[in-house]
């Protein structure tokens, strides 16, 4: 059974939502010089919960975008590249909205957190099988 744009987007999104916070925690453990401050761990868990909530609109936009991109007549590599650009942009946007919501001025920490989600997204996009184009493929945008 061929994957649909919904199942493809859901797999990519779930992978980033589950593995991303683990990478954030791992990076903070590596960077920390000394014992782990469990207050920071509580903050990360709280932040991950809000990041999950704020990423739901990004999931729907990724689903719509990947559904459109998969119907184009582009080669598979170009489709994956376009989906990756869309997913990375939506991830950055979700975290920027989260920063504005919490008013956290430490942008370097935020870009570190966002940077841990990027490899997971790109790996998911290139690992999972693309949905097959359906009848009525969209012509090239060029």
């Amino acid at each position: 059974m061929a994957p649909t744009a919904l199942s493809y987007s859901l797999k990519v999104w779930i992978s980033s939502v589950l593995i991303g916070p683990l990478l954030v925690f791992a990076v903070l453990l590596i960077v920390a010089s000394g014992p782990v401050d469990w207050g920071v761990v509580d903050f990360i868990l709280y932040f991950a919960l809000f990041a999950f909530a704020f990423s739901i609109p990004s999931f729907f936009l990724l689903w719509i975008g990947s559904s459109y991109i998969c119907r184009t007549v582009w080669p598979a590599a170009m489709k994956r590249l376009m989906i990756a650009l869309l997913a990375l942009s939506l991830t950055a946007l979700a975290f920027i909205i989260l920063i504005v919501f919490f008013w956290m001025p430490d942008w370097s920490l935020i870009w570190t957190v966002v940077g841990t989600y990027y490899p997971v997204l790109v790996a998911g996009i290139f690992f999972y099988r693309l949905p097959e184009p359906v009848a009525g493929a969209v012509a090239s945008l060029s």
Side-chain angles (χ1 to χ4, degrees):
M1 182 172 161
T4 64
L6 173 62
S7 68
Y8 176 77
S9 301
L10 190 61
K11 287 183 229 176
V12 169
W13 178 71
I14 290 292
S15 297
S16 70
V17 166
L18 293 178
I19 299 171
L22 294 175
L23 285 178
V24 170
F25 185 66
V27 166
L28 289 177
L29 283 178
I30 291 169
V31 172
S33 57
V36 176
D37 180 10
W38 291 105
V40 172
V41 174
D42 288 342
F43 173 75
I44 290 172
L45 292 174
Y46 185 67
F47 190 78
L49 177 66
F50 274 90
F52 173 77
F54 278 88
S55 73
I56 291 172
S58 295
F59 160 70
F60 286 115
L61 292 173
L62 178 65
W63 176 24
I64 292 166
S66 64
S67 153
Y68 176 77
I69 290 169
C70 287
R71 282 188 272 144
T72 63
V73 292
W74 298 337
M78 181 66 149
K79 290 178 185 180
R80 289 181 190 276
L81 178 64
M82 290 307 198
I83 292 171
L85 289 174
L86 175 65
L88 298 177
S89 301
L90 290 172
T91 301
L93 182 63
F95 277 102
I96 289 170
I97 291 170
L98 189 62
I99 292 166
V100 170
F101 182 74
F102 279 112
W103 188 245
M104 298 174 358
D106 188 5
W107 285 91
S108 63
L109 174 65
I110 296 306
W111 290 119
T112 302
V113 171
V114 171
T116 60
Y117 280 80
Y118 280 179
V120 178
L121 278 171
V122 172
I125 288 167
F126 284 90
F127 176 75
Y128 296 117
R129 197 169 121 200
L130 275 175
E132 298 294 325
V134 293
V138 178
S140 174
L141 295 178
S142 58

